[in-house]
Amino acid sequence: MDHSGHGMNMDLPPFTLGRGLEFSPDLFFLVACLVGLGLYGWGVARLRRRGDAWPLGRAVSFTIGVLSIALVMCTKLNDYGMVMFSVHMVQHMVISMVSPILLLLGAPVTLALRALPVARRGTKGPRELLLMLLHSRYLRIITHPAFTIPMFIASLYALYFTPLFDFLMGSTTGHIAMMVHFLMVGLIFFWPIMGVDPGPHRPGYVMRMLELFAGMPFHAFFGIALMMATEPMIKAYENPPASLGIDALSDQNAAGGIAWAFSEIPSVLVLIALVYQWYRSEQRVAKRADRAADRDGDKELEAYNAYLASLQARGR
């Protein structure tokens, strides 16, 4: 399918899941997905060659994350997304709220820091440049909640309810840029919340949950607004091709339902991951305390018992 030009020129048969999942690659995203998988695989292989382990779960999560991008961008879902608002919304929600979570659970930054070689003294290689970026003021700003939450919200309202969306949908370059933007916004929003990779902001678990739930209601409100609308709100989808056999308003209502549903799914996934991380953190703290007690003969307990004995002596 030719992705050039405006999506309204596409003459597609009525949508079915089978047709939507047919292979129809977008060259940019196909190459990006293959490069991403290749680099991650190189990193894991490099660690294993020197005898270091890398958790299988992380590799699986990253791989599924990349495949989820390919699923919505390298199949005919991408073609149908140019003419059906509901299919486009599936693309948007997956690439901005599901793919980023899976990619971040794969800890690609941690893998890069461990796998990339240290540059010779006096020079800067890829690892040193990555460390500079992680400690940069720029990254501190764009990963701060004061930036990530408004950006997460603006990616919905400022894009769909302004002429910018129609402008981007008018060209292949604009459409690719929009999808890359969705992915990057998702990564930046969820990065400090997931807390798997090192970053400028490492809030506590309660604060991470608050950041998560601060953004999700706006997705739900956006979906409800689309579901309750009595006329098409997005110009690019006002006149779907007759070959699809769909009504623009009904398709928009379906898109709203998808946006509303996806506001809940990532919240549950991230919440489960955060609770698990919190549990693991508490376990590590408890183990360190046990080891410290073994080393010093549990001096804290002895001191506490001595304190209780002194209180008892005073009471006599």
Side-chain angles (χ1 to χ4, degrees), residues 63-80:
T63 301
I64 295 175
V66 172
L67 292 179
S68 70
I69 297 173
L71 176 68
V72 296
M73 296 307 304
C74 295
T75 65
K76 284 194 174 179
L77 288 176
N78 194 34
D79 299 326
Y80 278 99

Side-chain angles (χ1 to χ4, degrees), residues 1 3 23-33 70 72-76 78-79 91 172-173 175-176 179:
M1 180 64 65
H3 294 287
F23 186 60
S24 179
D26 177 283
L27 184 60
F28 175 87
F29 278 98
L30 179 62
V31 172
C33 288
V72 296
M73 296 307 304
C74 295
T75 65
K76 284 194 174 179
N78 194 34
D79 299 326
Q91 289 181 281
T172 301
T173 302
H175 186 243
I176 290 173
M179 289 299 173

Side-chain angles (χ1 to χ4, degrees), residues 181-203:
H181 169 77
F182 290 152
L183 177 62
M184 295 307 297
V185 167
L187 287 170
I188 291 170
F189 177 75
F190 288 111
W191 184 3
I193 294 174
M194 301 304 296
V196 178
D197 276 326
H201 297 284
R202 297 302 298 268

